[in-house]
Amino acid sequence: MFYGGKGGVGKTTCASAYALSACGRDRLRVLLVSTDPAHSLGDALGVKLSGTPARIGPLLDAVELDASRAFARWLDEHRRALGDVLEHGTWLDADDVDALLDLAIPGVDELVGLLEIERMANRSSSSGSGRGYDLIVTDTAPTGHTLRLLAAPETVAAVAEVFDSLQQEHRLIRRQLARVNRPEAADLLIAQLIEQAHDTAKRLRDPGQTALHWVTLAETLSLAETEDAVRMLDEAGLRVTDIIVNRVTEASDGCRLCERRREEERSVIAGLRQRLGRGRRVRLVSAATREPVGVAALTALGDGAAKRRNHAAAPDDSTARDRGTALSGPPGRSHSDPPASPRFDADVFRGASLLFFGGKGGVGKTTVAAATAVKLAQGRPAQRFLLLSTDPAHSLLDVFGERAGRVDPDQPHTVTGAPANLHIRELDAPRALEVRRASLESALDDIAVAVGSLGGMGGGIGDNAALHGLMRLAPPGIDELFGILAVIDARAAYDVVLVDTAPTGHALRLLEMPDAAREWTRLLLHMLMKYRALVRPGRLAAELVDLSRSIRQLQAVLRDHARSRFILVTRAAQLARVETTRLLTRLRRLSLAVPAIVVNARTLAPERCRRCRETADDEEREVERLVGKLGRSGRGRERCAIIQTPISAPPPRGAKALGRWADRWTFADGH
């Protein structure tokens, strides 16, 4: 059973609660797995987890899958066979092959992760029963990463075809000249990859073996992303059986904020039932007064959800009005008051030409990035701004209230109500990869023709299909990198580029990607120079040199604290705070400047009702803990300002509402 959904909707909480309920109610032996590169399963359960299943209860084990370690084990086992394939089908020698294999192979790491889950499922549980698990509950990463995980079998099947084409010439030589028909280890590996990809794809599509539950919130952005994800999964033959609407606001005693939330939620739930409810169960989970952390709290949540499993709220066609009006703000101020002071020319933003916004999924990165872009563009009319989304599950158009299809979202364009000097773009990473790859493959064709005119050199040098196959073995994630490079290359057109990143794990891969991509281009250049006596590198060398130069420029810009900054966005909640402090550490290890943390959607007017007061008290404690973790600035420690934004019901949508909301942000001194 997979739990998927937009970041921050409560996948980990729902998956954990269901697993605990299945153990207690149905007496099933359950393995609870996290596949999110930025794990939070241990944080939710209140225990320390690793890549080895740990016992949580009499019938429950839990594990945070270490996909990179699982892939490393797989690579060690098959390295020789993979090396044979690459040596047979390309002009790479043993050293070149080792360098290429040290980079990842597209799709294989995700497939190995799925196989690792299956391997764990089939072995004895740590409960001492001697039996395997009855149920595997998988807490996935946010939408983009989850879609890639579930598409891994098809990706690996395509890679296996590349390997097969690279091996084909060697296979023919063995058969025709050496009269050897016995398959080699390389042939067996290719066949195994094809079989594993086929079997895994079949298992994922079998409703008797696999169930997909999609978690969402009763918010317009979550609904839009859920629609897109469910449609893509349906097209891939992966059926979502249950849609869980998490954290639904319960009735309150006259609290205007809570009632406006409920009004918005009723409208969203009605739309969800109408558009996605046919043939699927729609389940509502009430918002807990306190964040459910720890086994006891999650067990109570799971038991309560099980009792309400068939409960459904009546559809309500009411629609929210006055979109973007903040109903909560700093204590003692009316939301009609003017802003206290101009803050968007503060040191946090001043002088930067590249601003990244990142953090745990669902904390409001896109909304914060969009509001910042609007305010900066308003305050600097002489400058040009680009707001770019690199999240595979884009929501920029939704935040600005733009209709999809009006424009090509991958081309910079203006949006209604926003300053004319602000452009937005939702990066189409696969398209960026294809454009760059087409250029490289066209240059490879020149070499293939040149080598062919020499009568062929053997070993696949003149095999055009094999050459193109080599381009298909680019490291995973290079598609997003090529998209970012396109923006870096075009920076002359903009004074400031603001990047709305994917949730933590995906964003870190993008920021760490330049090193792997540069090694890949260096490998190809080294290969060309090694054989320059046989063929003129020509256009391909020029393309690779240009690519390497762009990557080097990106690395230099990222590490230039005067030009590039990473703004962390979080919520005043325990799980978000813990992940934020881990992410801050990782970013500083990458030598990236993090001058500010935005604590988003604070409940800053606690006098409204008991629930709001308790929430405000909990949030205040979390902010204090966050500040305590940051420590005071001093020698060797970078200053980190705290920016707090008020909760808005409904959330701000459209450029004007985003600007009004940003006027209510409060900026604290650096800590």
Side-chain angles (χ1 to χ4, degrees), residues 411-432:
Q411 296 299 315
H413 60 279
T414 58
V415 293
T416 304
N421 59 331
L422 172 62
H423 289 166
I424 72 167
R425 176 184 174 189
E426 293 183 336
L427 176 66
D428 187 338
R431 179 196 288 182

Side-chain angles (χ1 to χ4, degrees), residues 133-419:
Y133 300 101
D134 302 308
L135 175 66
I136 312 299
V137 178
T138 304
D139 167 38
T140 68
T143 304
H145 193 280
T146 299
L147 294 174
R148 184 174 299 204
L149 173 72
L150 296 176
E154 285 72 22
T155 304
V156 171
V159 169
E161 289 181 6
V162 171
F163 288 153
D164 193 57
S165 69
L166 295 176
Q167 181 74 354
Q168 183 61 23
E169 184 177 345
H170 176 73
R171 195 180 292 134
L172 290 172
I173 292 173
R174 285 190 1 251
R175 290 174 182 170
Q176 294 176 5
L177 300 182
R179 304 297 182 186
V180 175
N181 291 316
R182 184 178 65 255
E184 294 181 338
D187 299 303
L188 295 175
L189 174 60
I190 293 169
Q192 182 188 62
L193 279 173
I194 293 172
E195 181 182 7
Q196 288 176 333
H198 176 268
D199 290 347
T200 304
K202 183 178 179 181
R203 189 173 300 111
L204 289 174
R205 288 172 173 80
D206 183 351
Q209 296 189 64
T210 302
L212 294 176
H213 290 186
W214 209 258
V215 186
T216 185
L217 300 179
E219 297 175 353
T220 53
L221 286 190
S222 291
L223 174 58
E225 187 167 313
T226 296
E227 282 190 90
D228 291 341
V230 170
R231 174 182 49 79
M232 293 175 68
L233 290 168
D234 281 347
E235 291 172 354
L238 298 163
R239 179 70 176 168
V240 174
T241 60
D242 293 61
I243 296 177
I244 301 165
V245 185
N246 194 29
R247 299 203 289 265
V248 177
T249 305
E250 293 185 340
S252 65
D253 186 15
C255 175
R256 186 167 169 241
L257 175 62
C258 292
E259 288 307 312
R260 289 294 292 272
R261 277 176 172 167
R262 281 170 53 78
E263 183 181 5
E264 170 82 355
E265 290 172 0
R266 283 195 295 267
S267 174
V268 172
I269 292 170
L272 185 149
R273 291 183 182 282
Q274 182 179 7
R275 284 175 260 179
L276 298 175
R278 183 172 299 176
R280 297 182 177 90
R281 290 184 293 269
V282 177
R283 302 177 182 175
L284 308 184
V285 177
S286 298
T289 304
R290 296 284 167 84
E291 187 177 8
V293 177
V295 172
L298 291 168
T299 299
L301 179 65
D303 290 344
K307 293 175 183 177
R308 297 189 301 272
R309 186 142 302 164
N310 296 320
H311 171 72
D316 190 322
D317 292 329
S318 62
T319 56
R321 296 177 296 276
D322 301 327
R323 300 187 64 79
T325 301
L327 293 179
S328 177
R333 290 185 56 205
S334 164
H335 67 261
S336 61
D337 290 343
S341 62
R343 292 147 297 186
F344 285 88
D345 60 352
D347 290 341
V348 170
F349 304 115
R350 187 185 301 124
S353 59
L354 188 58
L355 287 167
F356 289 90
F357 292 80
K360 179 178 172 64
V363 294
K365 297 182 299 295
T366 303
T367 307
V368 169
T372 302
V374 168
K375 295 303 295 181
L376 288 177
Q378 286 176 344
R380 307 178 195 171
Q383 294 185 340
R384 287 171 56 82
F385 294 82
L386 174 66
L387 174 59
L388 171 77
S389 168
T390 63
D391 190 338
H394 300 291
S395 54
L396 267 185
L397 284 177
D398 300 311
V399 165
F400 279 100
E402 292 286 299
R403 295 194 313 274
R406 184 181 71 84
V407 295
D408 180 357
D410 193 31
Q411 296 299 315
H413 60 279
T414 58
V415 293
T416 304

Side-chain angles (χ1 to χ4, degrees), residues 322-562:
D322 301 327
R323 300 187 64 79
T325 301
L327 293 179
S328 177
R333 290 185 56 205
S334 164
H335 67 261
S336 61
D337 290 343
S341 62
R343 292 147 297 186
F344 285 88
D345 60 352
D347 290 341
V348 170
F349 304 115
R350 187 185 301 124
S353 59
L354 188 58
L355 287 167
F356 289 90
F357 292 80
K360 179 178 172 64
V363 294
K365 297 182 299 295
T366 303
T367 307
V368 169
T372 302
V374 168
K375 295 303 295 181
L376 288 177
Q378 286 176 344
R380 307 178 195 171
Q383 294 185 340
R384 287 171 56 82
F385 294 82
L386 174 66
L387 174 59
L388 171 77
S389 168
T390 63
D391 190 338
H394 300 291
S395 54
L396 267 185
L397 284 177
D398 300 311
V399 165
F400 279 100
E402 292 286 299
R403 295 194 313 274
R406 184 181 71 84
V407 295
D408 180 357
D410 193 31
Q411 296 299 315
H413 60 279
T414 58
V415 293
T416 304
N421 59 331
L422 172 62
H423 289 166
I424 72 167
R425 176 184 174 189
E426 293 183 336
L427 176 66
D428 187 338
R431 179 196 288 182
L433 175 59
E434 285 307 312
V435 169
R436 180 73 72 162
R437 186 152 56 193
S439 179
L440 292 172
E441 289 183 350
S442 176
L444 275 172
D445 288 341
D446 296 344
I447 293 181
V449 171
V451 174
S453 68
L454 297 175
M457 301 302 297
I461 294 179
D463 185 342
N464 201 24
L467 290 170
H468 286 207
L470 192 61
M471 292 296 101
R472 304 284 163 175
L473 299 181
I478 204 168
D479 48 355
E480 289 102 337
L481 176 68
F482 282 166
I484 287 290
L485 288 179
V487 175
I488 295 297
D489 292 344
R491 283 174 67 236
Y494 296 97
D495 298 287
V496 182
V497 177
L498 302 93
V499 182
D500 170 33
T501 69
T504 303
H506 210 110
L508 281 171
R509 187 180 72 173
L510 174 62
L511 294 170
E512 294 167 348
M513 188 68 231
D515 292 329
R518 198 169 178 202
E519 286 303 313
W520 181 65
T521 55
R522 281 176 176 173
L523 170 64
L524 295 179
L525 273 170
H526 172 71
M527 174 187 67
L528 285 177
M529 294 302 102
K530 184 182 293 185
Y531 297 102
R532 64 183 180 272
L534 296 177
V535 295
R536 288 178 58 81
R539 192 154 58 96
L540 178 58
E543 290 281 354
L544 290 172
V545 168
D546 179 66
L547 175 59
S548 182
R549 183 186 299 115
S550 295
I551 295 172
R552 187 169 62 251
Q553 289 174 349
L554 173 61
Q555 289 176 309
V557 170
L558 288 176
R559 289 171 171 80
D560 184 344
H561 290 198

Side-chain angles (χ1 to χ4, degrees), residues 7-87:
V9 296
K11 296 183 300 297
T12 304
T13 298
C14 291
S16 301
Y18 183 87
L20 287 162
S21 178
C23 293
R25 183 188 68 254
D26 301 325
R27 308 303 298 168
L28 297 178
R29 292 177 176 81
V30 179
L31 176 64
L32 178 58
V33 183
S34 168
T35 64
D36 191 338
H39 298 293
S40 58
L41 181 58
D43 300 330
L45 292 168
V47 297
K48 187 173 180 59
L49 297 177
S50 68
T52 301
R55 188 172 181 179
I56 304 302
L59 296 175
L60 177 65
D61 292 350
V63 61
E64 292 181 338
L65 185 66
D66 190 334
S68 60
R69 183 172 295 179
F71 175 74
R73 286 198 302 267
W74 181 89
L75 184 59
D76 285 344
E77 181 181 352
H78 299 293
R79 192 179 192 96
R80 183 170 180 177
L82 283 171
D84 288 344
V85 172
L86 294 171
E87 284 194 64

